[in-house]
Amino acid sequence: MAIKQSPWALNQRTANRPQSAGAVHVTKFYHEFTAAAASGDIVDLGQLPAGAYIVDARLYTEGVFTGVTGDVGIMSGTPGSTDPARTCGNEIFAAADLAAAATAPANMALATAFKVTPADTHRSIGLKLAAAVPAAAGKKVWLVLEYAQ
């Protein structure tokens, strides 16, 4: 199992940070599969800022993801770390169909995402793949994450 990194995990971009109590902020995280990913790999998509809680989420894809599902949730460990011991939960999406998300975005349907309590530190949001994803230019997974503080 390997950890793949989005521009947010590589600190090339930052998540929008809540500035007002209760104001909802949105960040569109993505990962482009310019390199192949194996079944069981985790994509470190982005970060839930310190003190923030999840309000809503949508998942959509570009390209061919036939037969690929994935879990989206909070990752263990330090944001940006490629330590293969890191894990990924399924608080936001469980077994989301990435092929179907190309034509109909998946809307968050799990109450567990609302139960993720704010933390004092930033936390990674990951996507754990249940099947291999071949590399292809323009093949992307997008997570539209709404959160507040």
Side-chain angles (χ1 to χ4, degrees):
M1 193 263 319
I3 304 288
K4 308 295 184 181
Q5 295 181 299
S6 73
W8 290 265
L10 294 168
N11 290 319
Q12 296 170 343
R13 295 191 179 191
T14 58
N16 298 324
R17 300 181 67 148
Q19 301 298 317
S20 309
V24 176
H25 288 67
V26 179
T27 301
K28 289 176 69 174
F29 300 111
Y30 71 87
H31 177 73
E32 184 169 2
F33 289 90
T34 55
S39 178
D41 280 358
I42 297 172
V43 176
D44 189 340
L45 280 172
Q47 293 180 357
L48 180 64
Y53 58 91
I54 298 169
V55 174
D56 201 1
R58 284 170 300 290
L59 186 71
Y60 67 97
T61 59
E62 294 177 52
V64 178
F65 287 89
T66 304
V68 181
T69 62
D71 294 338
V72 177
I74 303 294
M75 292 180 65
S76 65
T78 304
S81 167
T82 57
D83 181 352
R86 293 181 76 192
T87 60
C88 179
N90 64 356
E91 298 89 350
I92 303 170
F93 292 98
D97 184 339
L98 300 186
T103 56
N107 293 307
M108 186 177 79
L110 297 175
T112 51
F114 297 121
K115 298 174 186 175
V116 173
T117 57
D120 293 334
T121 58
H122 301 321
R123 291 176 288 173
S124 291
I125 302 290
L127 164 67
K128 184 171 184 176
L129 300 165
V133 177
K139 182 183 280 192
K140 295 180 183 178
V141 170
W142 292 83
L143 175 68
V144 180
L145 187 67
E146 297 181 27
Y147 48 90
Q149 195 170 34

